Amino acid sequence: MSHERIAVLDYLVLGNPTLDVQPDGSLLLGGTAVYAALQAARLGLRTAAVGRANPDLLQPYWQRYANEVDLRLQPSGPITTFRNVSVADSREQWLQDWAGEIDTSQLPDSNILHIAPVAREVVIEDFSAAGLSRLVCLTPQGLIRRWDGSDGHIELAHRRFPSSLPPLVDVVVVSEDEAPYVAELLGAVTKHGGLSVMTRGSQGCAVLTRDGWSEYRAEPARAPVDATGAGDCFAAALAVEVHAGQPLVEALRFASAAAALCVRGPGPSAIGTGEEIRQEFAGRPIWPADRAT
């Protein structure tokens, strides 16, 4: 699929930056838009992120990354804030504050558009084929989250997506936990020629194409510290490689190595550059699993 236009940016991410409450009560910068934008920027792409947050409250957490990504904030009173409790490759989440919906009516041009909501801040029905980027990547986790109840505990909920969406999406990436809630979307994206990927943490990923599902092992992460953002870096690196025309297996190797580097430090601090990622998987092939279905 191709969405032809003259682009100003290489990579544009839509999603609210977040603050994640740590076990000791401290706050750490997070959000798919943050991880994906920084990953794209460290691959050498001209990158911007559009989201909603309180700029004054966010500034102390964002300032170390301000020279890497053009962060275009729509002002809000609060910052979207999560409390996360991780267990192995999964986690429980509570939404403690929400910055609100993003105005997507006037977006800058880009070669790659990554739609990356974390808490229903993107109205997916607003998108149409007119004016979209050459490659559209979707990480829909924030579209299937709900937080009913006074404590803000997040649950996943099945959702029907507009029929106009799948033809627009070139790459969709979801976690193993999220996949059952978006199964129809994954199949529809593939039917229209896109690529559907289900990440499985340390177990690798499964890829759906018109030929069916294939499984791929993960690049091993040495001394992992924090798994937050690994899937976001995977998605960003994969989108960049697919847009560059890399063969699928090589693109998956690259994305897997990006995820393996990301987990070596807290928050976005360990996101790797292109050179570091290539060094990570140099000489270590990624193989399809013994069986593909």
Side-chain angles (χ1 to χ4, degrees):
M1 290 181 289
S2 177
H3 313 291
E4 292 296 332
R5 71 189 303 188
I6 298 173
V8 174
L9 292 165
D10 295 317
Y11 201 100
L12 174 66
V13 190
L14 298 181
N16 288 343
T18 72
L19 294 178
D20 295 333
V21 182
Q22 303 303 294
D24 63 0
S26 62
L27 298 172
L28 197 62
L29 181 68
T32 299
V34 167
Y35 281 93
L38 285 170
Q39 182 63 85
R42 291 180 186 179
L43 297 179
L45 277 67
R46 296 165 296 168
T47 304
V50 174
R52 191 175 293 279
N54 184 312
D56 294 330
L57 295 178
L58 187 67
Q59 195 272 341
Y61 303 96
W62 177 253
Q63 60 183 354
R64 67 178 291 188
Y65 306 110
N67 292 331
E68 299 186 68
V69 172
D70 179 8
L71 180 61
R72 306 182 184 187
L73 280 184
Q74 299 171 6
S76 173
I79 297 173
T80 299
T81 303
F82 289 99
R83 180 169 64 89
N84 305 318
V85 177
S86 296
V87 180
D89 283 335
S90 64
R91 63 182 175 179
E92 291 285 312
Q93 291 186 298
W94 289 260
L95 184 67
Q96 296 190 347
D97 220 333
W98 187 61
E101 291 181 357
I102 301 170
D103 179 0
T104 59
S105 60
Q106 294 183 326
L107 297 177
D109 295 344
S110 60
N111 280 321
I112 300 171
L113 172 64
H114 185 170
I115 304 171
V118 291
R120 295 183 180 251
E121 70 268 33
V122 174
V123 180
I124 201 67
E125 289 80 6
D126 289 346
F127 291 90
S128 66
L132 279 185
S133 304
R134 292 189 177 96
L135 184 140
V136 176
C137 175
L138 172 63
T139 44
Q141 61 175 343
L143 300 176
I144 58 172
R145 286 174 171 166
R146 66 180 182 188
W147 48 94
D148 297 335
S150 59
D151 65 350
H153 182 256
I154 288 181
E155 298 178 344
L156 301 181
H158 290 275
R159 172 172 180 171
R160 295 190 65 85
F161 292 90
S163 60
S164 59
L165 179 64
L168 307 180
V169 177
D170 299 279
V171 179
V172 58
V173 180
V174 299
S175 72
E176 187 174 25
D177 291 338
E178 296 156 358
Y181 298 91
V182 293
E184 184 176 347
L185 175 66
L186 299 180
V189 166
T190 303
K191 179 181 178 181
H192 287 280
L195 182 68
S196 295
V197 181
M198 179 181 70
T199 60
R200 302 174 60 225
S202 60
Q203 301 303 308
C205 67
V207 179
L208 178 63
T209 66
R210 285 174 170 171
D211 295 327
W213 285 98
S214 298
E215 297 183 5
Y216 295 85
R217 302 176 188 174
E219 290 293 329
R222 296 189 292 273
V225 172
D226 182 4
T228 304
D232 307 326
C233 290
F234 177 98
L238 179 62
V240 170
E241 292 294 281
V242 169
H243 178 262
Q246 294 298 324
L248 177 58
V249 172
E250 291 303 310
L252 290 168
R253 290 181 69 207
F254 190 83
S256 180
L261 277 181
C262 172
V263 304
R264 293 186 184 178
S269 63
I271 296 173
T273 64
E275 181 179 357
E276 290 169 337
I277 292 169
R278 289 183 175 88
Q279 289 176 350
E280 180 69 12
F281 69 70
R284 295 191 303 173
I286 183 171
W287 312 269
D290 293 335
R291 60 187 179 85
T293 58

